[in-house]
Amino acid sequence: MSQLKRILFYGTDSLSAAVLSQLHQQGYEVRSVTKHPRTPVHKYCTRHGLPVEVFARGAPPFPSNKTQAPELGVVASFGGMIPGSVIRSTKRGFVNVHPSLIPKYKGPAPLPHTLLNGDTDYGITLLEALPRSFDQGKILHQRQLPVPLHMSGGEFWDHTGRLMGETLVGYLNTKPTFQSKQQDLRHASSAPKISAKQMKTVVRVCPHLHTADQIFNISRCADLFKLCPTVSWKDKALKLKGVHLVRDADIVSVLSSRLRPCQFVMHEGTLLLRCAEGTVLGISQIVLPFKDVQSAQHFYRDQCHGKTRRVLEMLYNPCDMEWDEAGVGDAL
C-alpha cells in the first residue's frame, strides 16, 4: 500500500460502492460521504462497520483535528459537487474516478452513452476534482479498455465498477507524485443523464429503420434501466430478450436478400430478425403482454407456425449448406 492511509470518499451508487470496496480491502482508512441512507455506499459502510455520513451542504464532514485530517479525497459517481472547503481540507486534494477516457463523455452518464453509441473501447480516468465544476480537472492517469460484447448492460456496469476500483488502487499503490496533464478539449464530448422516461422511448424500435447493431446497442443500454427493446407485432408490444448480433456471413447474406426488414425465421432455437441495411438480429426470448418470458422457439411455435398468413422462404441448414423450405414469421 502507498504512504497514503486516510481517505475521504464521496460516492452514491453501485459503481461507487465497488471503488470503496477495493479501498477498504486494501487497508485504507476510509470515511465516506453519500447522498442518503439507502445508497449502496451507505449500505456497504453499515455492513462493514465503516464511518459514513449523509451529505449536508455547507457542513464539513467528520470534523477532526489536523493530525487526523484525510490525506486524500476520492469521488466516484457521487452525483454532486464537492465543496471547495472540503477539497482544501485534504493534503493531496481530491481524485475523481470517471468511467470514460476524459475528455470524452464528461458528465453523469458515460456508461449508458458508451453502450448506446456502440463504442468498442472506453476507459477509466483519474483526474483532479475541482470545486464548482464537473470533470474539468487535469488528468492524473488513464487506462484504455475494450468494451466486452458478450456482457449485458448490467454485467458491463458491474465489470466497470471493479475496474474503477482496481485502477485507483493500482495508481495509489505506486506511491504517485500526482503529476498531471491538461485535457485536450478538442476531443471533448458530454454524457448527459438519461432518465428512465427517456429510455422508455428509446427502447421502442422498428427493424425497418434500425439496424441489428443499433437494436443490440439499445438492448445493452436498456438493461441498465431494467428495460429491453420493444417492437410492435400484430398490435402487440413484444419485448425482445437475449438479443445478440448474427455475424455468420452466409446467414446474413441469404436472409438479407430473401427477407424484407421485419420478417423473421427460426434457426437452431433462435429467432433471426431481418433488420435495416441487410443486418440480422438473433433473439432467444420473447415477452408477450401480460405473459412471462418464453423462448423464441416457443413463441414461434405458438404464434407463427401454421398460420395462414405466412411466406415461404428458405431456412439455412449449416450442415450441408443447403436450404429447406420453412415458414417465415409475419412481419414485425
Side-chain angles (χ1 to χ4, degrees):
M1 191 175 72
S2 72
Q3 294 177 334
L4 295 169
K5 292 183 179 180
R6 296 184 300 276
I7 291 179
L8 179 59
F9 181 81
Y10 277 67
T12 300
D13 59 18
S14 57
L15 289 179
S16 312
V19 176
L20 172 61
S21 173
Q22 292 273 355
L23 291 170
H24 176 222
Q25 291 174 25
Q26 288 290 316
Y28 289 94
E29 299 173 16
V30 188
R31 293 176 172 237
S32 299
V33 179
T34 190
K35 287 287 190 70
H36 55 76
R38 298 179 303 279
T39 67
V41 165
H42 199 287
K43 291 177 180 177
Y44 182 90
C45 292
T46 302
R47 186 164 62 250
H48 294 277
L50 302 180
V52 59
E53 286 190 3
V54 174
F55 179 72
R57 193 175 300 278
F62 305 108
S64 61
N65 58 51
K66 290 185 177 180
T67 60
Q68 295 299 315
E71 295 166 294
L72 179 70
V74 172
V75 55
S77 196
F78 178 62
M81 291 187 182
I82 311 300
S85 59
V86 173
I87 293 177
R88 291 189 294 272
S89 72
T90 64
K91 295 179 181 179
R92 291 284 193 170
F94 261 72
V95 174
N96 178 7
V97 189
H98 189 82
S100 80
L101 294 173
I102 290 291
K104 185 176 183 179
Y105 294 152
K106 295 183 180 185
L111 294 186
H113 287 273
T114 296
L115 294 176
L116 202 55
N117 293 332
D119 292 351
T120 57
D121 58 16
Y122 75 126
I124 312 298
T125 299
L126 308 180
L127 66 159
E128 297 174 346
L130 303 178
R132 298 183 299 278
S133 66
F134 286 111
D135 306 328
Q136 301 297 325
K138 294 180 180 179
I139 294 172
L140 299 167
H141 176 71
Q142 286 190 309
R143 179 183 180 187
Q144 187 168 351
L145 300 158
V147 177
L149 287 177
H150 65 280
M151 291 184 180
S152 67
E155 291 168 340
F156 175 62
W157 179 276
D158 294 340
H159 172 73
T160 299
R162 290 190 295 270
L163 292 176
M164 289 169 66
E166 289 175 5
T167 302
L168 174 65
V169 167
Y171 176 74
L172 296 180
N173 286 349
T174 62
K175 300 180 181 179
T177 59
F178 292 90
Q179 293 181 343
S180 59
K181 64 178 181 179
Q182 294 285 357
Q183 297 184 29
D184 185 354
L185 299 181
R186 293 174 300 173
H187 305 293
S189 61
S190 61
K193 181 179 179 180
I194 301 174
S195 68
K197 183 178 181 180
Q198 289 173 318
M199 202 64 215
K200 287 179 181 178
T201 300
V202 173
V203 296
R204 295 202 292 264
V205 300
C206 177
H208 273 299
L209 305 175
H210 291 90
T211 66
D213 295 79
Q214 289 170 330
I215 298 175
F216 175 73
N217 296 339
I218 289 170
S219 173
R220 297 219 293 166
C221 182
D223 188 56
L224 299 176
F225 299 82
K226 309 302 181 186
L227 299 171
C228 51
T230 303
V231 295
S232 177
W233 181 77
K234 295 185 177 180
D235 297 324
K236 297 177 183 178
L238 300 186
K239 295 180 180 179
L240 311 181
K241 297 178 73 70
V243 169
H244 60 275
L245 297 173
V246 176
R247 296 300 194 192
D248 187 302
D250 293 325
I251 292 179
V252 172
S253 175
V254 174
L255 293 189
S256 64
S257 63
R258 294 178 180 269
L259 298 185
R260 300 189 306 274
C262 297
Q263 287 189 312
F264 55 87
V265 296
M266 281 301 302
H267 174 59
E268 296 184 347
T270 299
L271 190 148
L272 302 180
L273 173 63
R274 165 73 152 83
C275 300
E277 299 181 15
T279 56
V280 178
L281 188 72
I283 303 162
S284 62
Q285 294 178 317
I286 298 285
V287 184
L288 286 164
F290 311 110
K291 292 192 177 182
D292 294 332
V293 178
Q294 58 184 246
S295 68
Q297 196 164 12
H298 183 92
F299 164 80
Y300 186 79
R301 184 186 67 231
D302 289 356
Q303 302 291 331
C304 307
H305 198 68
K307 298 291 183 181
T308 55
R309 287 186 61 207
R310 74 176 188 177
V311 182
L312 289 180
E313 282 289 349
M314 301 299 198
L315 186 61
Y316 180 60
N317 183 335
C319 297
D320 53 15
M321 299 297 289
E322 293 180 355
W323 297 89
D324 302 322
E325 280 196 342
V328 174
D330 294 323
L332 290 169

